[in-house]
Amino acid sequence: MTGMIMCPKRSSAPPPDLIIHAPGARAYRAGFGTDTGQGSALDAALGAAGAVFPSMPEAGEAEVVTYFEEHGERLPELVFTAVGAYAGVAVDQDAVKAGDLPGTLIAPA
């Protein structure tokens, strides 16, 4: 793995809802349900885990709403599954669900 991932928790939105990925000199941001748009290995892991939701205008409003209603509750689990797969670490899903994970920093040794 190269780079780092940080998933900070916004004070008003437990659990965490943002990823900052810095694979080199630049950092890229992805809100939960999206990828960084960089075509990175992290983006591929997010897509494979089902953590990238359809968005408008690529998908119609009805499809976006239906997808969110079906999968929105599982979004943190999907994102942290992808982050774990990308980084080769296990993320404590109970801590994520409980909102007890204020942030995660994963950096190369």
Side-chain angles (χ1 to χ4, degrees):
M1 179 199 77
T2 60
M4 86 179 148
I5 300 169
M6 188 169 96
C7 302
K9 175 179 169 182
R10 293 184 186 169
S11 60
S12 64
D17 62 353
L18 177 67
I19 298 171
I20 299 172
H21 182 217
R26 300 191 74 169
Y28 302 97
R29 174 184 172 162
F32 277 29
T34 67
D35 62 25
T36 66
Q38 298 301 306
S40 67
L42 173 62
D43 290 345
L46 290 166
V52 178
F53 286 14
S55 62
M56 294 184 284
E58 293 83 23
E61 181 179 354
E63 181 182 348
V64 171
V65 170
T66 299
Y67 195 90
F68 184 79
E69 287 174 350
E70 289 179 17
H71 305 286
E73 190 173 303
R74 290 189 56 229
L75 184 56
E77 177 186 347
L78 298 173
V79 169
F80 280 100
T81 296
V83 168
Y86 167 74
V89 299
V91 178
D92 183 346
Q93 295 296 316
D94 292 331
V96 172
K97 289 176 187 173
D100 294 335
L101 189 64
T104 301
L105 176 62
I106 305 167

